[in-house]
Amino acid sequence: RNFFASVLAGNQKGFARAVQKSGVPREEFFICGSVVSNLAQDFDDAYSTTKEGCDKNLEVLAEGGITKLDMILLDYPAKDCETIRGQWKAFEEMKAAKQTKSLAVSNFSPEQLDCILADPDATKPVLNQLPYSPKNYDAKAVEENGKRGILVQAWGPLGSGSLGISASSACEEIGQKYGKSAAQVALRWILQTGATFTTQSKKKEHMEENLNIFDFELSQEEVNKLSDISQSMTGKLSAAADIIIPVGGAVGGAALLSSFLDSWDKQADQNDSVIRAKMRKEEEEEKAKAKRKKEEEEEDDGAL
């Protein structure tokens, strides 16, 4: 029973209570927590902010009797190698204190991983959570992480809009051959390209469906077909349409789409910066929200 209790998902407290009420022995769970400290400005700031996040994980999960983790994940790297090393020092100390068995990262580039691995005595991250689905993935991610002995884990590969029009259609078509859903085909593709995944759902039937992917195997031709989608013009059109058509409508959307494609390559290089800026803004908003509601938190029973 592998669970990711994420700060960003806001499900840690409810998850801890659910574990306690389940009656299932703690040793039958593999529990991963997370820390967000990517806004740190220097080594000391990164260290103290990350250490505070580690302590907060233990504090919140203790409400359900969980006193240590199987894994802690650093959700987004700080701005440079020096600050990343500050983040990692806090993680190393948490592991040394036997408060977690293993360490992991999320959204790290190969160069950012090397900030950690440059120290021969550093604990190697077990995995790196990345955006990874037939619609959107880095074709070199599995290879580059594998060279460093790190596993790629797809985060939210079935979330809202994660497959897109083109990939969803292709997965559905392939699924008809095996009696599987588009979601199951997408997850099977992730496994067969050398990665693993973590999914999120409040519906038991969806959780069961996500696990029922080990009784079939995609052909190499089918794997290649899905792999090619994110790099193809069709895939680019699909990704763009998912954003533009709802905004501009059929006619206005078409004009916007044409303009979008003209600047696609230039914008691709800016994607990481945009995502990081958005995450920083969301983190600041979440911190402000948490501060306002600290004394009036309602019980969360939406554990995943």
Side-chain angles (χ1 to χ4, degrees), residues 147-158:
K147 287 178 181 177
R148 295 162 174 79
I150 298 169
L151 179 68
V152 169
Q153 184 177 77
W155 58 258
L158 303 179

Side-chain angles (χ1 to χ4, degrees), residues 13 34 70 83 93 103 146 161 163 196 233 244 250:
K13 186 174 293 187
S34 70
D70 297 290
T83 48
E93 290 181 358
L103 310 178
L163 284 183
T196 184
M233 181 57 68
I244 293 172

